[in-house]
Amino acid sequence: MAVQSVACEQKLDQECINCLRGLAIDMVSQAKSGHPGMPLGMAPAAHVLFSRVMRFSPTHADWPARDRFVLSNGHGCALVYSMLHLCGYRISMDELKNFRQLGSITPGHPENVDTEGIEVTTGPLGQGLSNAVGMAIAQAQTAATYNRPGHQIVDGTIFVFCGDGCLQEGITSEAASLAGHLQLKDLVVVYDDNRITIDGSTALSFSEDVPARFRAYGWHTLTVNSGDSDLEAIEAALREAKRSDRPTLISLKTTIGYGSPVADTAAAHGAPLKDDQLRATKQSLGLNPDEFFAVPERVREFYKRVHDCGDALAAEWRASFGAYGQAFPAEAAQFRRIFDHRRLAEGWDAKMPKYTPDMAAEATRSVGGKVLNAIAEYLPEMVGGSADLTPSNKTQLKCSFDFASGKEAGRYIRFGVREHAMFAIGNGISAYGMIPYTATFLNFLTYGWGAVRLAALSKFRHIFYMTHDSIGLGEDGPTHQPIEVLPLIRATPNLGLFRPADGAETVGAFRAFLPRADRPVVLCLSRQNLPQLEGSSEEGVAKGAYILRQTCQGEPDVVLIASGSEVSLAVDSAKELEQSSISVRVVSCPSSDLFLEQPLAYRRAVLTERAPVISVEAASVAGWAAMSHFQIGMRSFGKSAKAKDLLSHFGFTPENVVAQTKKFLTDLQTRASELDLPPRGVLGVLQCLRE
Amino acid sequence: MAVQSVACEQKLDQECINCLRGLAIDMVSQAKSGHPGMPLGMAPAAHVLFSRVMRFSPTHADWPARDRFVLSNGHGCALVYSMLHLCGYRISMDELKNFRQLGSITPGHPENVDTEGIEVTTGPLGQGLSNAVGMAIAQAQTAATYNRPGHQIVDGTIFVFCGDGCLQEGITSEAASLAGHLQLKDLVVVYDDNRITIDGSTALSFSEDVPARFRAYGWHTLTVNSGDSDLEAIEAALREAKRSDRPTLISLKTTIGYGSPVADTAAAHGAPLKDDQLRATKQSLGLNPDEFFAVPERVREFYKRVHDCGDALAAEWRASFGAYGQAFPAEAAQFRRIFDHRRLAEGWDAKMPKYTPDMAAEATRSVGGKVLNAIAEYLPEMVGGSADLTPSNKTQLKCSFDFASGKEAGRYIRFGVREHAMFAIGNGISAYGMIPYTATFLNFLTYGWGAVRLAALSKFRHIFYMTHDSIGLGEDGPTHQPIEVLPLIRATPNLGLFRPADGAETVGAFRAFLPRADRPVVLCLSRQNLPQLEGSSEEGVAKGAYILRQTCQGEPDVVLIASGSEVSLAVDSAKELEQSSISVRVVSCPSSDLFLEQPLAYRRAVLTERAPVISVEAASVAGWAAMSHFQIGMRSFGKSAKAKDLLSHFGFTPENVVAQTKKFLTDLQTRASELDLPPRGVLGVLQCLRE
Ligand SMILES: [Ca+2]
Ligand SMILES: [Ca+2]
């Protein structure tokens, strides 16, 4: 706790706080855009937290045992950028001046990818707090796994700032309820209780008793009434929270826009102060209104001491980690592999199951469960769970047990029916340095899309493990059957999609995506049994799409491209079409995004330019026009019925695929003569086969 | 309260309850699929509610002043179908036997569209309870608007059953917090507190104090410990809840799978009882194990009396509504227009603003606000609000005031930062018979997608009013900038999309979608100012896409198709291209789904088969291949910067569009000679122009 020793006198503290306030409002004014209210109100808490309580080292920003800070109300980031700058993270004064400008590392809401010291991307409300729950789980799991008597190498705390908006979002309720259940003691949330939201007073829409609600979840709660001024009370609350054996919520009463003419009103929230307001604010804070981006020397020196102190702490830790390595070399090596090198263990895929065409049909959700278990032994950093669908998702880990209060080394998480928080918690676990998998039915991916898209934006390795991936799930009906979800995933940048056709492809999917640390994937698995296919290939999966079957030489008459459960349908249809002397190539496309990353020559070799391409997928046809000339798919919601009846009703039978294919080929000839073009001229070149 | 007068003796009650149980488990067993546990546990509560407390009339199922019932834990629907059957709704015994089969009106989760007596589609957890909050708002708003001293024509209660899963979902927390804030007295939630979820005991993930949490929201809470047996206690709790001046949660302790060998375990939840278990259950309930789908005559008679009693209540109400109509003819006529005829008021669009090309540029969010206000005067059934973005969405209604406790006639709802609940509440308001609009930034549509897709599936008229619809929102950055959202909307069945280009198109959008009562729409509006375009047309909007500009005669050299803010960019680009003697047609496409509904001849007339088509839209290009040969759009997430810089950075400038168009046309020639095809043969016929 050497940070405590940084000598502080009250006046200097106040100077630091007002310097932070001045920087933040100058940033917003310079950008002519942003949120001055929160930094003016929360600067005291930020100052106390960073200078007296939190353990971090700007020189070693990713020191694994650091305390972590999450700004859940991300719009207040001018405060954090200013703080990170003063503490010596790689954020220059020019970057502060470039707040919210193109190419800066100080974007309008904090983004983890480009900005050192930003643990997670926030802005969409509630995400940060839920990420922090994930970090606190990862922290507890890591501590329980690696700490040894006399060697407390992991004991960080996760600190969060959040506002009213975060607490109104449902994701926060989910995450907080789970955090209370799990008694995550390393989680401290500071609630900026300023009684104002964008629309005006919280009296308009938010009159609940927040601390009582959190106590109902099992949290410890504290209140600091003088959050604008009483640094000792803030510090005392933070310290008590850190000591608590439960997650703690500190309700900090503050004044939004403190010191400004619009203090305590919604006007302070989300628009720059006008020039006269800016002057008046600085005057009321004792700052020179003619100076901009001013940092008094004493303030700079103060934070330099905070910086040095943090570096000393990190060095101290490195030394104690060295001693740990002497005593526990295997554990230390594993710890470094995971948290320093972020590499998979050698031979992680050694026990993968092998699938051959002679083996019995099996649901890919079942294959997935076997694969998870085969690799989990080698990858202790893999932790995950299901949103109360464990028996259906088949995600339980045999090599471990449930993560629970008092059993924190457990790697299986019972998330409850809390999809959105589950995904955000997974993001937090990933941010901490581990590999999360989070499971539910594919259709409920969109219950937590806010977190899924942030995983993609944040480049988190995170396995969204989705079963029951089509109308093939049967009787649960259209409320449970995904239609629009696959197009959504495909339209999202940096989000992988794998929908394997059988056992071999499922294994191949894991081999393809797991080594990539820079993006999340959605793994789509079937509820129903799927046959092991002749020609399916792990290597093929790695290229996203490949020729699974073709009996004729050279160019076929038609290409059927399919994914997942529809690949076997395409194969069966091909066999029938061949009876009518139509030669067919079947392309399996477990991962369209990976296929589109392949060289043009490969893409052209798979989806020949010479033949019509027909896609078959039991999901919305939207998006397939770039990769096929005709689509067999869903154009409505599903229905409740037996899977077999549904597949037949919606045309996923060899009979229908054969009939549609023949009709398409005939229509093509007709249309070609109408338009006076060769048939391939009617079809044109697929967009995915262009330069 | 004539239902009370239905004479009941205890034994008959028990016979009714066990008959319901028997029907429900027979349904599940016959279907070999479904959820027996909840019906076995909740049959007593359902029996008491339907036979003693709730006011409904199966003969007039949509009697506007009825009490409403919502099964939020929709998987328990075998219980409700059985009850509706016994009470005389149009659900035959054959339909019970066809549970979960293709074409039945008894699907695996309740769907409002085909099944009488089902108010809302449920299954995805938390939705029903949140719909009920919307119904309770609509109920309170209607009561405050239409009731007069001595004429209490609206005084229904919304009853909800929910389970642990619903209470774990964040959407429920959002909705419940708002319900407490608004003190919705007509809302009664019965929580099936059976301590079991799919994964096992609630001790695995859900240990919060639920009643304490609801009290923190401002709810009244009650507990019934003997929910399996004590009908008087259940009735007393329901009656007390009905009288309460706040929303009420009744924690009803029940036994999942009551009477079965798997009672009180997760095994009872979601799989049919095995044959021997089915027999044993019936035996323990005093039912004949050799009988299936048995309804004793006494039971049938009992529920016939419930049915008749409900019809009498409805008739009584019709009479009192007649008296109301004598005293308040205008109000009565309006009430009937809205709730009986579901027609818009004559002349509802009389005060729509008019936009002409000479008028100043204006953000379509600002136009939208004016339109909302222009029509709200004529349509008192239009109620809505924003998720704490009122000043940005510009959705406030000048003709009304905030809906609040004690001011329930208000039509503007301050939803707080609760997008998912807001959308589900809107669905509930729509189910009640009114026209909701719910507003946030377009990117946060996916925070509540679970409810959006249910609006589409349920055929609810619901205006999802989304502003800040592209990277054009600027500095807030990629966390706030929609990329994948437009493809998602387009991939969703029965969900309208309107992205108007200017004032005239925004007005036209409302004229196009508002009269359609059978589907929701997402209205996408710009943050930034957009010029009023020469050639933009309200009539064009009604066809989804239309030719906005073409200066040459006949076929152009190229078609630029764009939506929303990119239409003016297409026009500017066209002007520049014409300088290089390239003739251009500009097609404005505010609603691709509406366009795809047009006759083929119209589609071919707009997107000629003779010219290459290039799309320009500041969103993911995914999906556009069906409607264009080349796409200018987004292939990554956005960035934080000034809107102007972003649009330039991502290529949304006339310079770039011109350059890309020229390059595309040149490449086309080259490729055509390579492939030995005419240029149009390289492009092929767009899929949207095929039969
Ligand atoms: Ca606030
Ligand atoms: Ca339960």
Side-chain angles (χ1 to χ4, degrees):
Chain A
M1 294 293 146
V3 174
Q4 286 171 256
S5 70
V6 176
C8 295
E9 47 162 309
Q10 263 191 322
K11 203 172 148 235
L12 182 52
D13 280 321
Q14 205 53 55
E15 225 174 312
C16 288
I17 290 166
N18 288 337
C19 171
L20 282 166
R21 286 172 165 148
L23 285 175
I25 58 177
D26 280 347
M27 288 169 70
V28 172
S29 290
Q30 169 110 343
K32 299 194 179 66
S33 166
H35 302 75
M38 180 278 190
L40 288 170
M42 286 295 282
H47 173 72
V48 171
L49 176 63
F50 276 76
S51 70
R52 302 190 190 179
V53 181
M54 208 165 70
R55 300 180 321 161
F56 61 96
S57 164
T59 317
H60 311 281
D62 48 11
W63 168 27
R66 70 190 179 278
D67 289 343
R68 283 159 167 90
F69 174 74
V70 173
L71 184 75
S72 194
N73 44 355
H75 54 266
C77 55
L79 173 62
V80 175
Y81 297 145
S82 299
M83 177 61 86
L84 294 176
H85 165 75
L86 291 174
C87 290
Y89 284 88
R90 265 173 253 155
I91 298 182
S92 67
M93 180 57 87
D94 280 347
E95 290 290 349
L96 298 189
K97 292 178 180 169
N98 260 326
F99 181 49
R100 296 191 149 223
Q101 303 309 305
L102 192 64
S104 78
I105 57 169
T106 48
H109 293 85
E111 297 175 34
N112 65 311
V113 175
D114 294 323
T115 315
E116 197 182 72
I118 301 297
E119 304 276 356
V120 288
T121 298
T122 56
L125 294 170
Q127 298 289 339
L129 198 152
S130 307
N131 297 158
V133 171
M135 293 177 180
I137 288 174
Q139 155 74 32
Q141 208 281 334
T142 307
T145 304
Y146 293 100
N147 287 347
R148 294 289 179 276
H151 295 273
Q152 194 77 356
I153 60 158
V154 179
D155 67 341
T157 300
I158 319 298
F159 293 99
V160 181
F161 281 4
C162 78
D164 293 293
C166 286
L167 295 183
Q168 288 176 291
E169 289 287 4
I171 183 176
T172 301
S173 299
E174 294 176 5
S177 173
L178 185 61
H181 173 77
L182 296 172
Q183 297 283 286
L184 300 174
K185 69 176 176 52
D186 303 320
L187 179 63
V188 177
V189 176
V190 181
Y191 161 35
D192 180 12
D193 184 6
N194 61 18
R195 298 158 306 281
I196 292 291
T197 69
I198 294 176
D199 269 20
S201 161
T202 50
L204 287 173
S205 63
F206 192 54
S207 53
E208 65 178 46
D209 181 341
V210 171
R213 171 180 144 206
F214 274 73
R215 283 193 296 274
Y217 296 145
W219 286 51
H220 182 48
T221 64
L222 295 166
T223 299
V224 175
N225 284 313
S226 47
D228 291 330
S229 55
D230 191 344
L231 308 190
E232 311 316 314
I234 296 171
E235 183 181 350
L238 288 168
R239 292 201 182 283
E240 179 177 340
K242 217 179 121 125
R243 280 193 307 271
S244 168
D245 55 0
R246 287 178 289 158
T248 301
L249 179 83
I250 302 173
S251 291
L252 188 71
K253 310 279 183 192
T254 69
T255 303
I256 192 169
Y258 180 89
S260 78
V262 287
D264 209 19
T265 72
H269 171 82
L273 297 170
K274 296 189 184 73
D275 284 350
D276 58 326
Q277 294 173 332
L278 186 67
R279 288 188 71 84
T281 307
K282 288 187 177 173
Q283 275 163 335
S284 90
L285 297 172
L287 302 173
N288 183 340
D290 296 318
E291 279 183 11
F292 297 89
F293 295 98
V295 180
E297 199 47 39
R298 276 155 49 89
V299 170
R300 215 170 263 295
E301 279 164 13
F302 175 86
Y303 284 115
K304 179 69 170 68
R305 291 199 298 277
V306 171
H307 167 277
D308 293 347
C309 193
D311 281 0
L313 281 171
E316 221 172 79
W317 182 84
R318 287 269 161 216
S320 62
F321 189 80
Y324 174 78
Q326 295 287 320
F328 307 99
E331 287 82 349
Q334 193 177 71
F335 186 92
R336 298 206 54 190
R337 174 183 70 72
I338 296 171
F339 295 103
D340 284 349
H341 310 314
R342 300 205 166 203
R343 271 203 310 259
L344 299 180
E346 291 295 320
W348 64 275
D349 57 351
K351 285 202 191 163
M352 288 280 222
K354 294 246 179 297
Y355 283 86
T356 49
D358 55 306
M359 289 168 70
E362 185 173 348
T364 49
R365 63 173 167 150
S366 158
V367 180
K370 291 176 186 168
V371 174
L372 270 187
N373 274 288
I375 59 184
E377 289 181 48
Y378 295 94
L379 299 174
E381 66 267 42
M382 180 172 264
V383 299
S386 161
D388 195 44
L389 288 171
T390 299
S392 299
N393 297 141
K394 303 192 178 292
T395 39
Q396 195 143 20
L397 293 184
K398 294 187 190 76
C399 68
S400 188
F401 48 89
D402 289 353
F403 179 95
S405 176
K407 294 170 68 181
E408 283 86 359
R411 290 163 53 195
Y412 192 73
I413 303 167
R414 303 282 183 168
F415 284 104
V417 193
R418 302 177 177 109
E419 296 83 6
H420 200 173
M422 173 172 74
F423 297 147
I425 288 169
N427 288 345
I429 291 171
S430 182
Y432 192 90
M434 303 173 81
I435 304 177
Y437 67 92
T438 52
T440 182
F441 291 170
L442 176 60
N443 195 44
F444 300 125
L445 188 70
T446 49
Y447 250 53
W449 187 256
V452 179
R453 102 183 288 274
L454 279 176
L457 178 59
S458 308
K459 302 189 178 176
F460 286 141
R461 178 159 47 189
H462 182 164
I463 306 162
F464 296 97
Y465 191 100
M466 304 289 117
T467 70
H468 296 61
D469 73 346
S470 77
I471 54 165
L473 65 83
E475 291 90 342
D476 275 345
T479 57
H480 287 50
Q481 292 160 353
I483 299 296
E484 73 283 13
V485 183
L486 295 183
L488 169 64
I489 298 165
R490 291 183 177 126
T492 305
N494 198 45
L495 181 61
L497 166 66
F498 285 87
R499 188 166 185 257
D502 67 358
E505 284 200 359
T506 306
V507 172
F510 277 84
R511 285 220 170 86
F513 68 66
L514 210 62
R516 271 182 83 159
D518 65 345
R519 68 167 191 170
V521 296
V522 182
L523 181 62
C524 302
L525 302 173
S526 73
R527 176 187 187 224
Q528 70 273 34
N529 282 340
L530 303 181
Q532 311 305 331
L533 298 169
E534 194 77 54
S536 75
S537 135
E538 293 188 21
E539 300 69 33
V541 175
K543 296 186 167 176
Y546 64 100
I547 301 172
L548 180 128
R549 179 183 201 278
Q550 178 172 330
T551 54
C552 68
Q553 295 295 315
E555 301 290 332
D557 296 323
V558 65
V559 177
L560 295 180
I561 182 170
S563 85
S565 45
E566 287 68 64
V567 178
S568 61
L569 168 62
V571 169
D572 292 344
S573 306
K575 289 178 185 167
E576 278 199 37
L577 285 162
E578 284 160 7
Q579 309 271 316
S580 312
S581 301
I582 297 169
S583 70
V584 183
R585 172 182 297 177
V586 175
V587 170
S588 178
C589 180
S591 178
S592 52
D593 53 297
L594 217 49
F595 179 60
L596 296 174
E597 288 179 9
Q598 302 305 309
L600 186 59
Y602 179 76
R603 280 179 275 142
R604 285 182 177 163
V606 173
L607 289 185
T608 166
E609 290 175 289
R610 316 269 159 204
V613 178
I614 297 178
S615 66
V616 189
E617 191 175 67
S620 166
V621 297
W624 270 106
M627 290 182 62
S628 63
H629 298 103
F630 180 76
Q631 292 84 37
I632 296 172
M634 295 294 291
R635 288 177 166 83
S636 71
F637 288 108
K639 283 177 182 292
S640 170
K642 288 190 177 69
K644 199 166 163 285
D645 294 345
L646 284 175
L647 293 170
S648 166
H649 177 80
F650 287 109
F652 298 98
T653 58
E655 298 68 49
N656 184 55
V657 173
V658 166
Q660 298 262 1
T661 302
K662 287 182 175 173
K663 179 169 186 312
F664 178 74
L665 293 175
T666 311
D667 288 353
L668 182 57
Q669 299 294 344
T670 317
R671 194 84 183 100
S673 29
E674 274 172 34
L675 290 174
D676 196 19
L677 278 172
R680 51 193 280 243
V682 177
L683 297 176
V685 178
L686 287 172
Q687 296 203 10
C688 69
L689 302 186
R690 302 234 195 96
E691 307 275 353
Chain B
M1 292 296 147
V3 174
Q4 285 172 256
S5 70
V6 175
C8 296
E9 47 162 307
Q10 262 190 325
K11 200 168 152 242
L12 182 52
D13 280 321
Q14 205 54 52
E15 223 173 315
C16 288
I17 289 166
N18 288 338
C19 170
L20 283 166
R21 287 172 164 147
L23 286 174
I25 59 178
D26 281 346
M27 287 169 71
V28 172
S29 290
Q30 169 111 345
K32 299 193 179 65
S33 167
H35 301 76
M38 181 280 190
L40 288 171
M42 286 296 281
H47 172 73
V48 171
L49 177 63
F50 276 75
S51 70
R52 302 190 191 177
V53 181
M54 208 165 73
R55 299 181 319 162
F56 60 95
S57 165
T59 317
H60 310 282
D62 49 10
W63 169 27
R66 70 191 178 277
D67 289 343
R68 283 159 168 89
F69 174 74
V70 173
L71 184 75
S72 195
N73 46 353
H75 55 265
C77 55
L79 172 62
V80 176
Y81 297 145
S82 298
M83 177 62 85
L84 294 177
H85 165 75
L86 291 174
C87 289
Y89 284 87
R90 265 174 253 154
I91 299 181
S92 67
M93 181 57 87
D94 280 346
E95 290 290 348
L96 297 190
K97 292 179 180 169
N98 259 326
F99 182 49
R100 294 188 148 222
Q101 303 310 306
L102 192 64
S104 78
I105 58 168
T106 48
H109 292 86
E111 297 174 34
N112 65 310
V113 175
D114 294 324
T115 316
E116 198 182 70
I118 300 297
E119 304 276 356
V120 289
T121 298
T122 56
L125 295 170
Q127 298 290 339
L129 199 152
S130 307
N131 296 158
V133 170
M135 292 175 180
I137 288 174
Q139 154 74 31
Q141 208 281 335
T142 307
T145 303
Y146 293 100
N147 286 346
R148 294 289 180 274
H151 295 272
Q152 195 78 356
I153 60 158
V154 179
D155 67 341
T157 300
I158 320 298
F159 293 99
V160 181
F161 281 5
C162 79
D164 293 293
C166 286
L167 296 181
Q168 288 176 293
E169 289 286 5
I171 183 176
T172 300
S173 299
E174 295 176 4
S177 172
L178 185 61
H181 173 78
L182 296 173
Q183 297 284 285
L184 300 174
K185 68 176 177 53
D186 303 320
L187 179 62
V188 176
V189 176
V190 181
Y191 160 37
D192 180 13
D193 185 4
N194 61 18
R195 298 160 304 282
I196 293 291
T197 69
I198 294 176
D199 268 21
S201 161
T202 51
L204 287 172
S205 63
F206 192 55
S207 54
E208 64 178 46
D209 181 342
V210 171
R213 172 179 144 209
F214 275 73
R215 283 193 296 274
Y217 296 144
W219 286 51
H220 182 48
T221 64
L222 295 166
T223 299
V224 175
N225 283 314
S226 46
D228 290 330
S229 55
D230 191 344
L231 308 190
E232 311 316 313
I234 295 171
E235 182 180 352
L238 288 168
R239 292 200 182 284
E240 179 178 340
K242 215 177 122 125
R243 278 194 308 270
S244 167
D245 56 1
R246 287 178 289 158
T248 301
L249 179 84
I250 302 173
S251 292
L252 188 71
K253 310 281 184 194
T254 68
T255 303
I256 192 169
Y258 180 90
S260 78
V262 288
D264 210 19
T265 73
H269 171 80
L273 297 171
K274 297 189 183 74
D275 284 350
D276 58 328
Q277 293 174 332
L278 186 67
R279 286 189 73 85
T281 306
K282 287 188 180 175
Q283 274 162 337
S284 90
L285 296 172
L287 303 173
N288 182 341
D290 296 317
E291 278 183 13
F292 297 89
F293 295 98
V295 180
E297 199 47 39
R298 274 156 50 90
V299 170
R300 216 171 260 294
E301 277 164 14
F302 175 85
Y303 284 116
K304 177 72 169 67
R305 289 199 299 277
V306 171
H307 166 278
D308 293 348
C309 193
D311 281 0
L313 281 171
E316 219 172 80
W317 181 85
R318 287 268 162 215
S320 62
F321 188 81
Y324 174 79
Q326 296 286 320
F328 307 98
E331 287 82 350
Q334 193 179 69
F335 185 92
R336 297 205 56 190
R337 174 182 70 73
I338 296 170
F339 295 103
D340 284 347
H341 310 314
R342 300 208 165 200
R343 270 203 310 261
L344 299 181
E346 290 295 320
W348 64 275
D349 58 352
K351 285 201 191 165
M352 288 279 222
K354 293 246 179 299
Y355 283 87
T356 48
D358 54 308
M359 289 168 71
E362 184 172 350
T364 48
R365 63 173 166 149
S366 158
V367 180
K370 290 176 188 169
V371 174
L372 269 187
N373 274 287
I375 61 184
E377 289 181 47
Y378 295 94
L379 299 174
E381 67 268 40
M382 180 172 265
V383 298
S386 161
D388 197 42
L389 287 171
T390 299
S392 300
N393 296 141
K394 302 190 179 294
T395 38
Q396 196 144 19
L397 293 184
K398 293 187 191 78
C399 68
S400 188
F401 49 89
D402 289 354
F403 179 95
S405 175
K407 292 169 69 180
E408 283 85 358
R411 291 164 51 195
Y412 193 72
I413 303 167
R414 303 283 183 169
F415 283 103
V417 192
R418 303 178 176 108
E419 296 83 4
H420 201 174
M422 173 171 73
F423 297 147
I425 288 169
N427 288 345
I429 292 171
S430 182
Y432 192 90
M434 303 173 80
I435 305 177
Y437 67 93
T438 52
T440 182
F441 291 171
L442 176 59
N443 195 43
F444 300 125
L445 187 71
T446 49
Y447 251 54
W449 187 256
V452 180
R453 103 185 284 275
L454 278 178
L457 178 58
S458 309
K459 303 190 178 176
F460 286 142
R461 178 158 51 187
H462 182 165
I463 306 163
F464 296 97
Y465 191 100
M466 303 289 117
T467 70
H468 296 60
D469 73 346
S470 77
I471 55 165
L473 66 82
E475 290 91 341
D476 275 345
T479 56
H480 287 51
Q481 292 160 354
I483 299 296
E484 73 282 13
V485 183
L486 295 184
L488 169 64
I489 298 165
R490 291 183 178 125
T492 305
N494 198 45
L495 180 61
L497 167 66
F498 285 87
R499 190 167 184 255
D502 67 358
E505 284 200 0
T506 306
V507 171
F510 277 85
R511 284 220 171 85
F513 68 66
L514 211 60
R516 269 181 84 157
D518 64 346
R519 69 169 190 169
V521 295
V522 181
L523 180 63
C524 302
L525 302 173
S526 73
R527 176 186 188 225
Q528 71 272 34
N529 283 340
L530 303 181
Q532 311 306 331
L533 297 169
E534 193 78 54
S536 76
S537 134
E538 292 188 23
E539 299 70 33
V541 176
K543 294 184 169 176
Y546 64 101
I547 301 172
L548 179 128
R549 181 183 198 277
Q550 177 172 332
T551 55
C552 68
Q553 295 294 317
E555 300 289 330
D557 296 323
V558 65
V559 177
L560 295 180
I561 182 170
S563 83
S565 45
E566 287 68 64
V567 178
S568 61
L569 167 62
V571 169
D572 292 346
S573 306
K575 288 177 185 167
E576 276 199 39
L577 284 162
E578 284 161 7
Q579 309 271 316
S580 312
S581 300
I582 297 169
S583 70
V584 183
R585 172 182 298 178
V586 175
V587 171
S588 178
C589 179
S591 179
S592 51
D593 54 295
L594 217 49
F595 179 61
L596 295 175
E597 288 179 9
Q598 301 305 309
L600 185 59
Y602 179 75
R603 281 180 274 143
R604 286 182 176 164
V606 173
L607 290 185
T608 166
E609 289 175 288
R610 316 268 159 203
V613 178
I614 297 178
S615 66
V616 189
E617 190 175 66
S620 166
V621 296
W624 269 106
M627 288 181 65
S628 64
H629 299 103
F630 180 75
Q631 293 83 38
I632 296 173
M634 296 294 291
R635 288 177 165 84
S636 71
F637 288 108
K639 282 176 182 293
S640 170
K642 290 190 175 69
K644 200 167 164 286
D645 294 346
L646 284 174
L647 292 170
S648 168
H649 177 79
F650 287 109
F652 299 99
T653 58
E655 298 69 50
N656 184 57
V657 174
V658 166
Q660 298 261 4
T661 302
K662 287 181 175 172
K663 181 170 184 312
F664 178 74
L665 293 176
T666 310
D667 288 354
L668 182 58
Q669 298 295 341
T670 317
R671 194 85 184 100
S673 28
E674 276 172 36
L675 290 175
D676 197 20
L677 279 171
R680 50 191 282 242
V682 178
L683 297 175
V685 179
L686 287 171
Q687 296 203 8
C688 68
L689 302 186
R690 301 230 197 98
E691 307 274 353

